Amino acid sequence: MVDTAAMNGRVTRVSIAPVKSLGLSHPETVELTPSGVVGDRRFWMITDEGRLVNGKLCPELMQIHTTWDEAAGRLSLRFPDGSELAGAVELGDPVEAQLYGEPHPSRRVIGPWQDALVRFAGFPLTLLWSERGAVDRGSDRGGWVSIVSRASLERLGDEVGRPPVDGRRFRMLFEIDGVEAHEEDGWIGSRVAIGDAVVVPIGDVGRCVVTTCDPDTGISDLDTLKLLAGYRPEGVTEPLPLGVYCDVAVPGRVRVGDAVQPAPLAVRT
């Protein structure tokens, strides 16, 4: 753990995925709860064999932009050809599905979205509503929030002699500026205030092949794994790390432009 006293960051981008593995949305503000952002990865997809549909299976799905209004229950999918499907979501029967080897309570989504996704992907799939959010692998051990710094993205870009690598490749909840490259690694185990919330980084995020894909096209065009292996093959908790994942210690609202700074220790009463 490093001294966080000099930490003086700012939130520069917020990214959520209302439908897991589809394109990201970038709200200006989100409400962090003890289990992350409500509505983030609210929907997910499985094949007829029960396999998770993700960026490894079909990276082209990144081209579909999604918006989701949790309060109104309205979902919108915008496809690369400009067509858009939007409307209120109706839920169907419960589905016995597994996410990362564990039962994940979900229900079928009734409406036009599934057929459109099948046509785009080119194989049968089922669109599901997650009863608790189709969160990523890290959340089964905590880690509902993820953070990466712009300086870390710039440092990765230095390895290939190009501008900062687009942070959307890594699908992190918060991108921040104002800290040193990979400084966030040293926050593991510390309390970090981000906007009105407080998070505790608990591990670094080992990267996968999805990060090699351009987030606008889904085409693999940058060997991020080779670049990471070249200068930081091992992390604090995972290999090929970039960014950290965190537990939510104190829920609260986070906005683009909010400060990221050390948080005082919790006071026991």
Side-chain angles (χ1 to χ4, degrees):
M1 187 188 307
V2 301
D3 181 8
T4 60
M7 185 197 310
N8 186 27
R10 293 280 173 184
V11 177
T12 56
R13 179 155 60 186
V14 178
S15 300
I16 64 171
V19 183
K20 181 172 172 60
S21 303
L22 268 58
L24 299 171
S25 296
H26 303 289
E28 290 294 307
T29 179
V30 291
E31 190 74 28
L32 272 189
T33 75
S35 54
V37 175
V38 174
D40 189 17
R41 297 175 175 86
R42 170 60 76 186
F43 302 88
W44 60 303
M45 299 169 288
I46 58 174
T47 66
D48 284 355
E49 296 74 34
R51 179 182 176 183
L52 171 67
V53 177
N54 58 17
K56 296 178 183 178
L57 179 63
C58 188
E60 296 83 5
L61 289 168
M62 298 177 192
Q63 299 174 82
I64 304 172
H65 292 275
T66 60
T67 57
W68 165 243
D69 186 325
E70 182 84 11
R74 290 185 61 85
L75 175 66
S76 173
L77 302 183
R78 190 174 76 251
F79 292 83
D81 64 2
S83 62
E84 184 171 359
L85 291 174
V89 167
E90 181 182 351
L91 301 180
D93 295 333
V95 174
E96 293 185 5
Q98 290 198 341
L99 181 66
Y100 302 126
E102 297 292 334
H104 194 90
S106 300
R107 297 175 66 181
R108 293 182 184 274
V109 176
I110 299 173
W113 302 280
Q114 178 173 303
D115 287 345
L117 289 167
V118 167
R119 288 193 297 271
F120 185 86
F123 57 84
L125 58 81
T126 300
L127 178 63
L128 299 174
W129 157 279
S130 169
E131 297 283 4
R132 61 174 184 252
V135 293
D136 278 338
R137 189 184 300 274
S139 61
D140 60 3
R141 58 180 183 269
W144 301 88
V145 172
S146 55
I147 299 173
V148 69
S149 70
R150 287 285 175 89
S152 297
L153 298 169
E154 291 173 358
R155 176 64 185 86
L156 183 62
D158 288 344
E159 290 296 299
V160 74
R162 60 187 287 176
V165 175
D166 189 336
R168 294 178 300 156
R169 288 179 182 268
F170 303 95
R171 302 177 73 88
M172 305 292 271
L173 180 57
F174 297 120
E175 290 180 39
I176 66 172
D177 207 352
V179 301
E180 298 297 321
H182 305 302
E183 182 178 331
E184 59 268 33
D185 296 358
W187 303 344
I188 293 174
S190 300
R191 289 168 59 88
V192 176
I194 180 166
D196 299 333
V198 176
V199 301
V200 179
I202 58 175
D204 42 28
V205 184
R207 308 319 315 200
C208 71
V209 69
V210 174
T211 64
T212 69
C213 297
D214 184 309
D216 290 322
T217 66
I219 296 172
S220 180
D221 65 350
L222 179 65
D223 195 343
T224 52
L225 304 186
K226 182 178 180 179
L227 296 177
L228 287 168
Y231 84 101
R232 56 189 338 252
E234 298 297 330
V236 178
T237 62
E238 296 187 18
L240 305 180
L242 190 76
V244 293
Y245 65 93
C246 319
D247 276 342
V248 178
V250 178
R253 184 160 292 276
V254 182
R255 313 159 190 83
V256 172
D258 276 352
V260 181
Q261 56 195 9
L265 295 176
V267 177
R268 294 185 178 181
T269 58

